[in-house]
Amino acid sequence: MTDPTPREATPTRAWVLHPDIKSEPDRRKSGPALDEAVALAAALPHLEVAGQEIVPLPRPQPGYLFGSGKIEELGQRFKAAEIGLVLIDGPVTPVQQRNLEKAWKVKILDRTGLILEIFSDRARTREGVLQVEMAALSYQRTRLVRAWTHLERQRGGLGFVGGPGETQIEADRRAIDDQLTRLRRQLEKVVKTRELHRAARAKVPFPIVALVGYTNAGKSTLFNRVTGADVMAKDMLFATLDPTMRQVELPGTGQGAGRKVILSDTVGFISDLPTQLVAAFRATLEEVLGADLVLHVRDISAEETDEQARDVETILAELGLDEDTPRIEVWNKLDLLDPDAAEARRIEAARNDHVFATSAITGEGLEALFEAIEAALHEPRTTETLHLAFAEGRQRAWLFQKGVVENEAQDETGWQLTVTWTERQKAEYAAL
């Protein structure tokens, strides 16, 4: 008897809704916002987007988000299209989620839930998996109001209307809190390992250049072109989650060619990035906080490129990136613009010393970018002689860790060290 031919799982049919809430002062343009939400849905495997729609709303309804007429209209549409999942591009309260699921008899995911699903599917490293799991548990903890639904049969008569439900909710919260505590302990071990790697890199006197930007801006394509690596690079939101670092020599023919740097590719940002993920991925993004130079890669062909740039800057500020850290804007994807628009962007970028118009696909503009990276990393160095007493072992260890010691001699009173360092390293040493 032959084995039955394995069948591929039938994709879940999904419908994407973007609530265009008129009462929100900082609401995004509804068209590009819906396109981004559909792209997010397409980033999930085994999901078929059967329809999409912008739903204008004067203001959100507390219980159902949408009005009763719209709910009935959408419900009939979902039933006819055999929809199993509705993705709502925005925040949905636990009560609204529960009520809409009852009304439509489908699964509901809001924007935060959708992004968490994508991150859960994409995380590969141990650290990434732990961070996503922590973010998901923190998100679920706020939605335990849904625990009431599976307790309705348990409710007794007089005096027991809410008792069992409250007990179950508290038990669920305790279970989640216990799991979060275990995950934090595991993550601390992983973070310590990452810190050891970071300390080892600090001994190598190569500057760190971090690529940041909105998701799908072309960071990984640029990273692959410079390093020759094979990091996943697709026209897909959140194609890269786990950070990748490579030591590379800057290519080109100018004076910057041959300069060794450590290039870091990081997770892409997105507007309304869930706060749980910002907190969870802080350890990963610490690579950005310790960078000597930040390259902000922008998809200059995107309709909302300016809004995306503001979102990235907001998240970098939330992470605590030092305003004094040098930054270069890379206007990527020139190849996707028509010739007139591309030329206009080249002229605009040429007027700003810290902006470079490029195409990571064709290589246009990259040589000028590499020269700018070299110039930004070039810091004047001075050579000095220091005398440290034997009791100042911590200062001596710091100097060797930073790789600034050229020569060392020892006498009866301590160490005589010849160091070559930048003004910034000198100030850090003084602050020890």
Side-chain angles (χ1 to χ4, degrees), residues 72 216 233:
E72 184 177 350
N216 208 31

Side-chain angles (χ1 to χ4, degrees), residues 144-172 174:
L144 288 179
V145 64
R146 300 183 67 209
W148 283 97
T149 56
H150 72 274
L151 293 168
E152 289 175 346
R153 298 176 188 171
Q154 298 179 20
R155 296 177 190 167
L158 297 175
F160 291 95
V161 174
E166 291 169 352
T167 302
Q168 183 62 48
I169 288 172
E170 288 305 317
D172 289 348
R174 280 196 298 274

